[in-house]
């Protein structure tokens, strides 16, 4: 028996050494067919059945349609004709329907990292608080054959950026694939941010090198804030329509209701002789309150978006009429 | 019996009258929307014609400028002002022809300006160029919204029971569309450089 134990011990130690060594450096298991250069960040794709001479994996070679047109512009889908053909056929980029709470940065491509989006969101929400004007950033890739300025202003019209009656919204549309940018301005801000001024601002930023989209957007926003700061007193809203709404959201909590009930309980406690109810009831209320607070703390750690409770989302009924400017690099 | 038939007859007539009234009121609201949007379209076209004195002021400083193109622009602008009330197909086609003349003459002028590199690089001209771009975008947007309103009006007007009523009144004639003829972005651009 003693002999066996010795062997078992040896095996155990050997296993331990292997496990510790593998923990320190993750050596990948070799594949069956070892290539001379092993760049593990790049997955070498499996060959297709029909191998083309040029394999450009960034671009999918499309299957030919049944009716091959002489010009194949794949950015633009030739639409099927409707049954009743109207003389004006405007095939434009379908602007997506807005979410319930519109955040200032909408990246449909995935150029900006999460941290950058968070920082930009915070910055733009601060601008809304200070200058009462909303700046929306949209990043998309495909616009068919449409004009970028045209899409941007229609975007603002559909999402209703800006306040109703004031129309103080700004839209910055970025199309990195086409190398185009456009800045559109609502009716209310047109006298302050004229077309020529917008063109100057955009020309200051362009061209964008090395995919520095975050820095350029930051620069543009800073330039806009300088001008908004000049005419600060014109934007201040004298009559707050949502005044009661804000008070309701800020000061009305379930906790306050519980406190009120507690006070009532205390009053009852002094006026009555029933001891049992008066000992149980406050305990229940306090217990509930503590639980809620704990939940809130957990949520804060997970999502940093909920830090600003005052933010109600963009889109309060603004209109756009095509003011602004665009540029390409 | 006689009394009863009269009674039914009156009821049917009153129902028809109410039905006509509802459709008429709806037609009026659609018509007003089209008219309102037409005002916006005229506004945006007016903005472009207001830019022409600015162009002339910039060119005044340059000696030896070709005067033929300038005269064309001024002529086109003087013929530009037309008041349209009915928004029929014929009237709108007339309006569009006149605007096309102005647009073509402005484009010709911009091409001639490119022969003068000193003028092209001035700050005033760059400002004017950006303003022209802005006005074209505005015209595109307002025109598109107008077409949408017209589509709504025409489809409501041309549906079967509504057609009987709308044909009685001359103000509810079919409205004309603003067609995309002279759109720069939608047509192919050729660069010889």
């Amino acid at each position: 028996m003693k002999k066996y134990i010795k062997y078992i011990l040896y095996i155990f130690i050997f296993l331990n050494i292997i496990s510790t060594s593998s923990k320190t450096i993750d050596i990948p298991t070799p594949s069956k067919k070892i290539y001379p250069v092993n760049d593990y960040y790049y997955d070498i794709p499996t060959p297709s059945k029909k191998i083309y001479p040029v394999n450009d994996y960034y671009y999918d070679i499309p299957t030919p349609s049944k009716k091959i047109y002489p010009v194949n512009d794949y950015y633009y889908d030739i639409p099927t004709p409707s049954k009743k053909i109207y003389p004006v056929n405007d095939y434009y980029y379908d602007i997506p329907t807005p979410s319930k709470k519109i955040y200032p940065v909408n990246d449909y491509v995935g150029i900006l990292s999460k941290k950058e989006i968070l920082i930009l969101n915070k910055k733009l929400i601060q601008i809304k608080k200070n200058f009462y004007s909303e700046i929306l950033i949209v990043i998309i890739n495909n616009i068919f054959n449409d004009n970028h300025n045209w899409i941007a202003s229609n975007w603002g019209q559909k999402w209703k950026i800006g306040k109703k009656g004031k129309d103080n919204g700004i839209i910055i549309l970025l199309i990195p694939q086409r190398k185009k940018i456009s800045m559109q301005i609502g009716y209310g801000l047109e006298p302050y941010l004229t077309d020529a001024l917008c063109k100057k601002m955009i020309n200051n930023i362009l061209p964008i090198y090395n995919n520095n989209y975050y820095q350029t957007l930051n620069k543009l926003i800073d330039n806009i804030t300088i001008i908004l700061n000049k005419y600060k007193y014109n934007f201040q809203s004298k009559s707050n329509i949502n005044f009661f709404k804000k008070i309701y959201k800020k000061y009305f909590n379930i906790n306050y209701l519980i406190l009120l009930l507690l006070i009532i309980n205390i009053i009852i406690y002094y006026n009555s002789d029933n001891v049992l109810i008066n000992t149980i009831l406050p305990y229940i209320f306090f217990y509930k309150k503590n639980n809620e607070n704990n939940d809130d703390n957990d949520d804060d750690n997970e999502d940093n978006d909920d830090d600003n409770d005052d933010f109600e989302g963009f889109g309060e009924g603004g209109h756009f009429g095509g003011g602004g400017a665009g540029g390409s690099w | 019996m006689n009394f009863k038939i009269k009674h039914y007859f009156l009821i049917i007539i009153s129902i028809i009258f109410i039905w006509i009234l509802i459709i008429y009121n709806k037609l009026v609201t659609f018509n007003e929307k089209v008219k309102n949007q037409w005002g916006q379209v005229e506004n945006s076209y007016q903005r472009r014609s207001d830019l022409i004195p600015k162009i002339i002021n910039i060119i005044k400083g340059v000696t030896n400028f070709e005067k033929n193109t300038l005269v064309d622009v001024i002529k086109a602008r003087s013929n530009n002002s037309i008041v349209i009330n009915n928004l029929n197909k014929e009237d709108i086609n007339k309006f569009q022809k006149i605007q096309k003349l102005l647009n073509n003459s402005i484009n010709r002028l911009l091409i001639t300006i490119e022969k003068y590199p000193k003028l092209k690089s001035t700050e005033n001209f760059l400002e004017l160029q950006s303003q022209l771009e802005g006005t074209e975008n505005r015209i595109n947007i307002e025109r598109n919204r107008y077409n949408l309103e017209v589509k709504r009006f025409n489809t409501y007007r041309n549906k079967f029971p509504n057609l009987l009523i709308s044909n009685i009144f001359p103000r509810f004639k079919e409205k004309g569309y603003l067609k995309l003829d002279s759109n720069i972005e939608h047509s192919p651009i050729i660069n010889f450089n």
Side-chain angles (χ1 to χ4, degrees):
Chain A
M1 277 301 289
K2 275 185 180 179
K3 271 184 183 177
Y4 285 113
I5 288 163
K6 226 180 187 180
Y7 282 117
I8 288 160
L9 258 171
Y10 276 129
I11 290 160
F12 189 74
I13 289 158
F14 182 69
L15 279 169
N16 249 327
I17 289 159
I18 288 165
S19 66
T20 49
S21 67
S22 69
K23 265 178 193 172
T24 49
I25 304 158
D26 281 327
I27 297 160
T29 52
S31 56
K32 280 176 187 174
K33 200 178 173 186
I34 297 165
Y35 293 95
V37 177
N38 297 301
D39 184 1
Y40 285 101
Y41 291 107
Y42 179 64
D43 292 329
I44 292 157
T46 53
S48 56
K49 280 176 187 174
K50 200 176 173 185
I51 297 167
Y52 292 96
V54 177
N55 297 303
D56 185 0
Y57 285 102
Y58 290 108
Y59 180 65
D60 293 328
I61 293 159
T63 52
S65 56
K66 280 175 186 174
K67 200 176 172 186
I68 297 166
Y69 292 95
V71 177
N72 297 304
D73 185 1
Y74 286 103
Y75 292 109
Y76 181 65
D77 294 327
I78 293 160
T80 52
S82 56
K83 279 174 187 175
K84 198 179 174 185
I85 297 168
Y86 291 98
V88 179
N89 296 306
D90 282 330
Y91 297 106
Y92 52 86
Y93 174 80
D94 278 331
I95 294 155
T97 50
S99 53
K100 275 179 187 174
K101 195 176 178 183
I102 299 168
Y103 280 97
V105 179
N106 295 287
D107 186 4
Y108 288 99
V109 183
I111 281 168
L112 301 174
S113 68
K114 271 191 179 179
K115 260 190 184 177
E116 288 166 354
I117 288 170
L118 266 174
I119 293 162
L120 281 174
N121 270 335
K122 266 184 188 174
K123 203 173 183 182
L124 294 171
I125 289 162
Q126 262 302 322
I127 286 167
K128 197 200 168 188
K129 273 178 193 168
N130 291 336
F131 305 115
Y132 304 98
S133 45
E134 302 176 352
I135 301 170
L136 188 88
I137 292 171
V138 179
I139 302 167
I140 53 170
N141 249 349
N142 210 345
I143 55 162
F144 305 118
N145 277 345
D146 276 331
N147 187 356
H148 50 295
N149 290 330
W150 194 79
I151 285 170
S153 54
N154 271 322
W155 199 296
Q157 184 74 11
K158 194 176 178 184
W159 285 29
K160 295 172 182 172
I161 304 302
K163 262 192 181 157
K164 199 177 181 183
K166 296 224 153 191
D167 303 329
N168 49 359
I170 299 168
I171 283 189
I172 298 164
L173 182 82
L174 226 169
I175 307 154
Q177 205 185 56
R178 289 294 182 93
K179 297 190 172 182
K180 271 176 180 173
I181 191 169
S182 91
M183 199 172 112
Q184 291 294 311
I185 279 140
Y187 281 120
L189 291 176
E190 270 178 22
Y192 310 111
L193 286 157
T194 55
D195 294 357
L197 223 162
C198 290
K199 189 83 183 170
K200 257 188 193 173
M201 272 191 221
I202 281 168
N203 282 337
N204 272 332
I205 293 156
L206 296 177
I208 299 168
Y209 291 122
N210 301 328
N211 301 338
N212 272 331
Y213 298 108
Y214 169 70
Q215 286 177 8
T216 47
L217 283 173
N218 229 344
K219 231 189 211 175
L220 223 181
I221 292 159
D222 287 339
N223 283 333
I224 292 165
T225 44
I226 288 163
I227 284 151
L228 289 179
N229 206 8
K230 258 188 191 176
Y231 307 101
K232 198 181 173 184
Y233 297 103
N234 295 329
F235 304 137
Q236 282 176 349
S237 54
K238 281 169 189 171
S239 60
N240 267 321
I241 302 158
N242 293 325
F243 185 68
F244 288 103
K245 227 181 182 180
K246 270 183 186 171
I247 282 174
Y248 180 79
K249 274 203 170 175
K250 256 193 180 177
Y251 299 107
F252 184 78
N253 266 328
I254 300 162
N255 292 336
Y256 286 104
L257 221 158
I258 289 159
L259 256 170
L260 225 158
L261 279 169
L262 256 173
I263 291 159
I264 292 162
N265 248 322
I266 290 158
I267 291 160
I268 293 162
Y269 177 77
Y270 282 114
N271 291 332
S272 69
D273 301 322
N274 198 341
V275 184
L276 220 165
I277 292 164
N278 288 316
T279 46
I280 289 165
L281 273 174
Y283 177 74
I284 289 162
F285 287 128
F286 273 117
Y287 182 71
K288 258 191 176 177
K289 206 183 167 187
N290 284 329
N291 254 353
E292 276 171 5
N293 282 332
N294 283 328
D295 287 335
D296 282 337
N297 284 328
D298 289 334
D299 283 332
D300 281 338
N301 288 328
E302 284 171 1
D303 300 317
N304 288 319
D305 293 337
D306 299 326
D307 281 343
N308 27 55
D309 288 323
D310 298 337
F311 182 60
E312 293 168 357
F314 281 0
E316 292 163 318
H319 292 285
F320 282 75
S328 58
W329 70 93
Chain B
M1 277 299 285
N2 260 333
F3 177 76
K4 266 193 173 176
I5 287 162
K6 265 187 181 176
H7 202 73
Y8 284 123
F9 191 70
L10 272 170
I11 285 165
I12 287 162
I13 281 175
S14 62
I15 285 167
I16 287 167
F17 182 76
I18 288 162
W19 176 70
I20 286 168
L21 212 145
I22 289 162
I23 284 170
Y24 181 86
N25 281 341
K26 266 195 175 179
L27 276 167
V28 167
T29 52
F30 276 118
N31 198 19
E32 283 308 309
K33 271 184 184 173
V34 172
K35 271 185 188 172
N36 183 29
Q37 196 50 49
W38 177 251
Q40 294 284 340
V41 171
E42 271 188 329
N43 220 350
S44 59
Y45 275 108
Q46 186 62 38
R47 186 187 270 266
R48 189 167 65 181
S49 68
D50 285 347
L51 278 177
I52 288 160
K54 263 191 182 180
I55 298 172
I56 292 160
N57 269 330
I58 286 165
I59 290 165
K60 261 182 185 176
V62 181
T63 50
N64 304 324
F65 194 82
E66 288 176 27
K67 279 184 181 174
N68 292 325
T69 48
L70 241 176
V71 169
D72 279 344
V73 170
I74 292 159
K75 260 189 189 176
R77 201 215 167 197
S78 64
N79 292 326
N80 196 28
S81 56
I82 277 185
V83 180
I84 288 167
N85 293 321
N86 291 324
L87 299 175
N88 294 333
K89 278 178 187 173
E90 295 163 4
D91 280 7
I92 275 172
N93 281 336
K94 212 187 269 175
F95 178 84
Q96 235 176 337
K97 266 184 188 174
I98 290 156
Q99 293 299 342
K100 207 180 171 185
L101 272 176
L102 213 169
N103 194 21
N104 286 339
S105 57
I106 286 172
N107 282 336
R108 237 175 285 147
L109 205 149
L110 288 177
I111 288 161
T112 50
I113 281 170
E114 286 199 355
K115 289 174 190 170
Y116 303 85
K118 266 191 185 176
L119 206 162
K120 221 181 123 185
S121 61
T122 54
E123 210 167 282
N124 281 327
F125 182 74
L126 289 174
E127 202 173 289
L128 196 137
Q129 216 172 13
S130 63
Q131 273 177 332
L132 269 172
E133 263 176 48
T135 48
E136 253 158 43
N137 195 31
R138 265 169 246 245
I139 286 167
N140 264 335
I141 283 158
E142 299 299 349
R143 183 205 270 150
N144 204 57
R145 279 179 201 162
Y146 169 80
N147 278 337
L148 276 174
E149 291 295 335
V150 168
K151 195 174 131 187
R152 247 173 240 166
F153 175 82
N154 280 352
T155 45
Y156 187 78
R157 194 210 100 99
N158 283 333
K159 275 178 184 173
F160 166 63
N162 307 343
L163 194 126
L164 300 173
I165 297 156
S166 55
N167 273 340
I168 299 163
F169 305 99
R171 68 165 82 167
F172 297 135
K173 273 188 181 177
E174 260 198 41
K175 311 278 188 214
Y177 288 102
L178 283 168
K179 286 166 196 169
L180 297 166
D181 283 333
S182 57
N183 200 344
I184 292 164
E185 279 291 325
H186 285 255
S187 61
I189 299 160
I190 300 159
N191 273 324
F192 290 109
N193 294 330

